[in-house]
Amino acid sequence: MENGAVYSPTTEEDPGPARGPRSGIAAYFFLDRLPGPRRVLKGLQLLLSLLAFICEEVVSQCTLCGGLYFFEFVSCSAFLLSLLILIVYCTPFYERVDTTKVKSSDFYITLGTGCVFLLASIIFVSTHDRTSAEIAAIVFGFLASFMFLLDFAIMLYEKRQESQLRKPENTTRAEALTEPLNA
């Protein structure tokens, strides 16, 4: 027998470089782990914090540089943290880590980043030299901080809804424990 006759029914032809709708690096990204509105908010957080950082980096001179430096640190940190959270949600790494820890980390990172970004934007407003790059950075900074805080508010609302759904279970368990066994 020829080798072709033996192996032809069990082997597959070379499928080529693309195999199906998702191939290559795109096969490792899953955008459906976040609901639509939160996905948009995460994208806006990433984009606006990057734009705030870029506009701040364009500033060539400053009179009171403390606010500028603090804003620079916060906007860069916000960009990197939002990128990290987005990568965790959209890659197989999400399945390797405890999902409750990812959601909890996202909850507190989003709250902290939103508050500190808002504070940095307020400080930068009070110390800027009124150049167009600084004004653009401030606008993007405020918008980014509002996106972080809106995302936090949505997560807080979802947590409250989740705890409301669990409360009836706890009350029925308590009632079941107080009922006599022979009733």
Side-chain angles (χ1 to χ4, degrees):
M1 278 205 272
E2 292 181 12
N3 285 341
V6 173
Y7 291 111
S8 65
T10 59
T11 58
E12 183 179 59
E13 289 183 22
D14 183 20
R19 187 177 182 166
R22 295 184 69 174
S23 64
I25 198 164
Y28 293 102
F29 288 102
F30 308 102
L31 294 176
D32 53 345
R33 288 193 184 115
L34 284 170
R38 294 235 12 252
R39 191 178 324 141
V40 170
L41 281 174
K42 292 290 181 197
L44 285 173
Q45 292 167 11
L46 187 69
L47 178 68
L48 291 171
S49 58
L50 176 64
L51 288 173
F53 179 70
I54 290 171
C55 289
E56 172 276 324
E57 283 297 318
V58 172
V59 175
S60 59
Q61 295 179 358
C62 61
T63 308
L64 298 169
C65 297
L68 177 71
Y69 295 150
F70 182 56
F71 187 83
E72 174 184 13
F73 170 74
V74 171
S75 61
C76 181
S77 298
F79 170 71
L80 293 175
L81 285 171
S82 61
L83 180 65
L84 175 69
I85 290 292
L86 202 57
I87 286 172
V88 168
Y89 271 117
C90 295
T91 59
F93 188 73
Y94 182 79
E95 295 157 355
R96 294 183 185 168
V97 182
D98 185 17
T99 58
T100 56
K101 290 181 181 178
V102 171
K103 290 179 181 179
S104 178
S105 297
D106 184 21
F107 183 78
Y108 291 112
I109 287 172
T110 303
L111 172 63
T113 304
C115 291
V116 174
F117 213 153
L118 184 62
L119 177 67
S121 299
I122 291 169
I123 291 171
F124 192 32
V125 161
S126 64
T127 62
H128 76 288
D129 291 333
R130 292 173 177 66
T131 64
S132 58
E134 288 175 322
I135 292 171
I138 289 167
V139 168
F140 289 132
F142 274 115
L143 288 174
S145 64
F146 293 144
M147 292 302 122
F148 279 102
L149 293 174
L150 180 62
D151 191 20
F152 168 75
I154 289 173
M155 285 189 283
L156 184 64
Y157 177 75
E158 289 172 354
K159 263 190 174 184
R160 298 280 180 180
Q161 292 292 342
E162 198 173 288
S163 69
Q164 291 295 328
L165 292 175
R166 289 184 187 162
K167 276 188 180 179
E169 289 179 6
N170 293 338
T171 57
T172 56
R173 280 187 189 165
E175 291 169 359
L177 292 176
T178 58
E179 291 179 17
L181 293 175
N182 56 4

